[in-house]
Amino acid sequence: MYELGTVELIQRLSIALAIGLLIGLERGWNTRDEHEGERAAGLRTHGLAALLGGVWGAIAEHFGGGGAIALAIAFALFGAVIGFFRYRETVRLNTFGATTLVAVLLAFALGAFAVVGDQQAAAAAAVATTTLLALKQLLHGWVQRLTWPELRSGLLLLAMSFILPPVLPDHPIDRWGAINPFELWLLTVLIGVLSFAGYVAVKIVGYRRGVAVAGMAGGLASSTAATVAMSRLVADYPRQVNVLTAGAIFANAVMGPRVLTVLGLVNGDLAMRLAAPLIAIGLVYTLGGALLMMRRASDGAGANETLAIRNPLDLPAVLKFSALLATVMVLSRIATRFAGSKGVFALAALSGIADVDAISLALARQGVGEIGLESAAVAILLAIVSNTIVKAGIGWFIGGWAMGLRFTLVSVLALGAGVAALMTAPAFGL
């Protein structure tokens, strides 16, 4: 037991009152159209509830262990009284809901915690509480749009992140020392998180909010898949070739920053070496997409189409990427051991046909030590070039010559800017 000084006690009670007013502000605004006396708890009630909790917290501190029991009894009695008033309100309105009751109880509890515990933690909890209350419509709308495969994917991501890693061996298990199951799975989770974020962005934004935003969001999930989707739309709506090609270009504009993010989380030195070329590639793609957007056709055909991106966290997709990453890591180690940087360049060009992330992670994790920073940077750019050639081919064969020509032209300029940046970056100390 310790005694609070007068100044500190007043400060803590003030924080308790502020916590209650913060929560009560949202509750009061939400029920602002109701007449006085028709709601169980508003701005003043939440403020007073938190202040009451703070006072009982001060009492608990003064009387030690017995005070803690008194605080628990006070909380129970207060909850019973508020619960009774909330019950009468729901009967009168013929509704159901426990949110307001929980909010008042949280105000009381956080007010007490502000006095007897960590003030910053109590304030942070109050902000989180108010945020959850204010996001009611958004959260309910998101739950209504949530599909079972998406929920399953979210649970899979949690299992991947917290359940499986502790049971995986944290040491190489192959003869070349390339595959560490623990690190391999963490890298798989990293890509899964980035891809799922892009997938969620596509679901939230959609095509109707703008091809540019939807294309960039789709690029976070899979720039190849987004290019295929835009190419199919061009085939159906050829008069929209400029805006839809711009969508594919915007999807590729985020490929550089995406790779840079992955490298930054795994190998900061390699990320710094590639920062200039990857940013240059992204900027040229963005500029090219913006110029095509300015030339968009007046015909609105296709404006209601959906940018369809496959859920990247389906279990088969996760296992396929993990297998691809493991294969690339083994081949990368073998290539560097027997063929040096030339072998890695060939491997990067081949693996880039299917995926850029796998070779980037493999080189960031183990390739730099074998072939050096410069060779690893060149290999990753080769993978990006290879992947871009594949997407240009998709544009030509699915979207037609008009899309293929536009996409290829912008891609050549973007890759040229990246190569130039790689060659000149050392002059700037990168």
Side-chain angles (χ1 to χ4, degrees), residues 145-161:
R145 293 192 301 269
L146 184 66
T147 64
W148 166 244
E150 293 162 356
L151 176 59
R152 182 181 60 202
S153 296
L155 296 175
L156 174 62
L157 180 59
L158 293 175
M160 290 168 58
S161 303

Side-chain angles (χ1 to χ4, degrees), residues 328 343-355 359 382-383 386-387 390:
V328 170
V344 174
F345 293 158
L347 176 63
L350 291 174
S351 63
I353 295 175
D355 186 85
I359 186 66
L382 279 176
S386 175
N387 188 259
V390 170

Side-chain angles (χ1 to χ4, degrees), residues 102-127:
V102 174
V104 178
L105 294 178
L106 267 172
F108 182 98
L110 291 175
F113 186 56
V115 172
V116 302
D118 192 315
Q119 304 173 69
Q120 293 182 347
V127 172

Side-chain angles (χ1 to χ4, degrees), residues 260 268-280 373-374 377 420-430:
L260 189 60
D269 292 336
L270 183 57
M272 288 298 297
R273 183 66 188 91
L274 281 170
L278 292 179
I279 292 174
L373 192 65
E374 291 295 326
L422 181 68
M423 296 174 64
T424 59
F428 298 95
L430 292 178

